[in-house]
Amino acid sequence: MAPEPDPCEPLALLRRELGTGAHGLSGREAERRLAVYGPNEVRSTAGEPVWREITRQLAHPLALLLWAAGALAFVADIAVLGWAIVAVILVNAGFALLQERQAEHAVETLARYLPEHARVVRDGETLDVLAKELVPGDIVLVGEGDKIPADARLTEGGIEADLSMLTGESAPVDRFAGPAVQGKPLLAEPNLVFSGTTCTGGQAQAIVFATGGHTELGRIAALSQRTRREPSPLEQQVKKVAWLIAAAAVAIGVAFLLIGWAIGLPLTDALMFAIGLLVANVPEGLLPTITLALAVGVRLLARQGAVVKRLSAVETLGSTSVICTDKTGTLTQNRMRLQATWTPGHGTGTGPWTAGLAGAMAECTTVTRDERGGLHGDPTEVALVEGAGALGGDPDPEQRDERRRALFRFDPRLRLMSTVTPAGRGGDQLRLIVKGAPESVLARTADAGAGEGRDVSRARAAADDLARQGMRVLAVADRELAELPEHREQVERELRLLGLVGLYDPPRPEVAAAVRRCHEAGLQVHIVTGDNGATAAAVAEEVGIGRPELLVIAESEGVTDRELDGLLVKEPAAEIVFARSSPETKLKVADTLRAHGRIVAMTGDGVNDAPALHRAHIGVAMGRSGTDVAREAATMVLTDDNFATIVTAVESGRRVYDNVRKFIVYIFAHLTPEAVPFLVFALSAGAVPLPLTVLQILAIDLGTETLPALALGRERAEPGVMKRPPRSGRQSIISPAMLVRGWGYLGTVSAVLVMSGYFYVLWRAGWQPGDPSGPGSELHHAYLTATTATFAGIVTCQVGTAMAARTEHASLRQIGVLSNTLLLYGIAFELAFTAVLVYVPVFQGTFGTAALPADVVALIATFPVIVWGTDELRRWAVRRRTRRTVPGSRPERMSAAGEGRNLP
């Protein structure tokens, strides 16, 4: 395969390298090249085999724990519970498998941007061929409404093209045949068009220089496929916790099996003892509870305008420490407006000069009006026409077109547009009106001297001042003509400056408050945009981005990895505007932040954003203005394209993470009272009969425990959740304080209460240590009642633990004792479920239970209040101690945004 030609080299040389001419390729040559270069389509690479992905999901550490629990259920001859556990494993594995396929959909969606057919010149004839059959060297014809089928260089004519999917800029750009401009980036080259973009006007002929994976679109697809999704912090931590629990459970089971054997327990009893400890230490409901809690978070976020496509992403949102956001449409309203005017005669004031400026700037446009009176066209020109109307003019696009004598479209090299209209109602005089970049217009303006108020140097200073305020500045000028010109170069000189206009895309009104919430929560906000740095910096300052200072990288494509390291991890960390960014720039920013342990949320809407969206921890796509590719590559899609929704999602993520920790505390708190009865049995060498059976433990872990745990996943956020810094991605979801609270405090209190109930029942029946309690003995019914008291006592302690686990620091009164209705239903269910197992004869035989007398029920009924009340006192003591340690302390406010500093 020949090396790729340089599309910017002289056209004659490019034709020679591509081996083509005015008559195009021959049919046979096209077939040969198709065999060499392959089809013109975006191809996805082969992914991991499905069976391997399924195997990986089924061998997940928590899945292994569930397999063990299922095996124990079958060993204990409870097939229904065993099959239920297997079903949970398969459902979780299937859901995870669907999420793994997400990246492939993004690449497949890229193919939708390619047209099915293209018009080409082959053997001197114009033909319709399949777009995937195009090859380098083909001559293609492009007209209004066509999608560009491949990367090509224009050889004849000119078009207006929408490149927003590649550049992120919404305004169409002109592309025309002509020599290349030295020093321009490839996407800004005025004679090149690119695969997947759209022709919005004009007609042209072009020569194809790249197809398939060698196009800009193919390059982006390759980036998307190379950036593999890594496990979320929650997924990584759950795996670590699962291995820890599994190792501890197995070690304890084996150790006490040996202890039981050493102290003379029969092998059957020792084995039952070891199995009981293993089951007691395996939280069978942990994985499904986490999955369902995250699913609840997904549903709640969807109602708030954020569609999350991966369950674990809900938790990742809560640990987000940096948001990299686009500007247009996300921070702003994506609607240009006229913000300021300047005229030589009146400066920034209004007067006769302003009226003349308004009429001229509306005249030098190509916007149209629909049947309903709405304006259509380039957003900049729409803003000019609307601004002219606000200044007292009456712009009418139809009358403008009727009186227009000539139109010279915008030339990106000259950075000018011109129109010719009659100078007045009578006579043959004509008027040339020019608008464009201030530096281009002012260079062609005659300086008539400060005495007449037309000093060009003052105009340049005024343009610089408007640009520093973040406006897009255009200059408008005119001159009188005696006759209609043939070429624009003849007349676009010796102009009379009419004035300057400053256009501005206003921020969304709710963004400033959202940015303040970010700063209160310790989040950094960077702007990564293809727009001008001054404009983006002004928007940043208006919405409050820039804590403690704002840095502006004017040309971010030139920033090296080492410079990024210094910028993004400096202390104190500044907020940065990355202007004129490319897809690779966004990807580099995301990679740098990830490398330094930051959890990154990255927004985007175009095809060019797909690799960065895929690489970030949370890729955020725009639902309204975004492309299908961006939505497929992203983890979260905003249905309202609003930055404030991202902040709401971060708050929801923090709430979900806190709730996951709450039900982990809830689940772990029951491991102690489930394990202690077996320890008492073993340490007494069997003198104390086993206070709890394996079947009763399974009934607790898979029956009574699940619904309250799920209800804790719906708990409202504690006060101050968005006033604390983001947690580290390396922070374990289970902290030592949680273990002390769950296993140590709540678990110990519950175990003491449960064993008190057990011994109370035995002693009231006259039992003494060592007395027989097996079937046929006098104390057997008392023993069954005692084990039932242990079982019911653990369940009632669960009720107190659930109420205590609802808050980590605050008192229950602050969030409302009865505010979680689902938890109340869950408690009612577990109490009813327990009553069925205790009082229905068929279940009594299966689970070894017996009906409890009234005094035992009254004793057990006090357990929830004791468990919750003691933890409420503990939290009160912790809050009081914290207030004494830091009296009157409040989080310090971050300093106000500093002055923006521009970096090269």
Side-chain angles (χ1 to χ4, degrees), residues 60 62 233-243 287 290:
H60 184 281
L62 272 182
L234 180 63
E235 292 169 324
Q236 294 172 336
Q237 291 169 19
V238 166
K239 280 189 176 182
K240 292 179 181 178
V241 170
W243 284 120
L287 184 60
I290 289 177

Side-chain angles (χ1 to χ4, degrees), residues 233 312-324 517-518 521-525 593 597-602 616-620 636 643 646-647 649-651 653-654 657 721-722 724-729:
S312 60
V314 178
E315 179 274 334
T316 308
L317 278 165
S319 60
T320 298
S321 57
V322 180
I323 300 176
C324 296
R517 294 182 67 203
C518 284
L523 274 68
Q524 276 189 295
V525 183
L593 289 168
R598 309 295 171 83
I599 306 298
V600 188
M602 175 80 72
H617 293 94
I618 297 291
V620 184
M636 182 171 74
F643 177 83
I646 303 175
V647 184
V650 170
E651 181 178 10
R654 290 190 175 191
Y657 181 82
V721 69
M722 286 297 281
R724 65 189 189 213
R727 69 182 186 279
S728 169

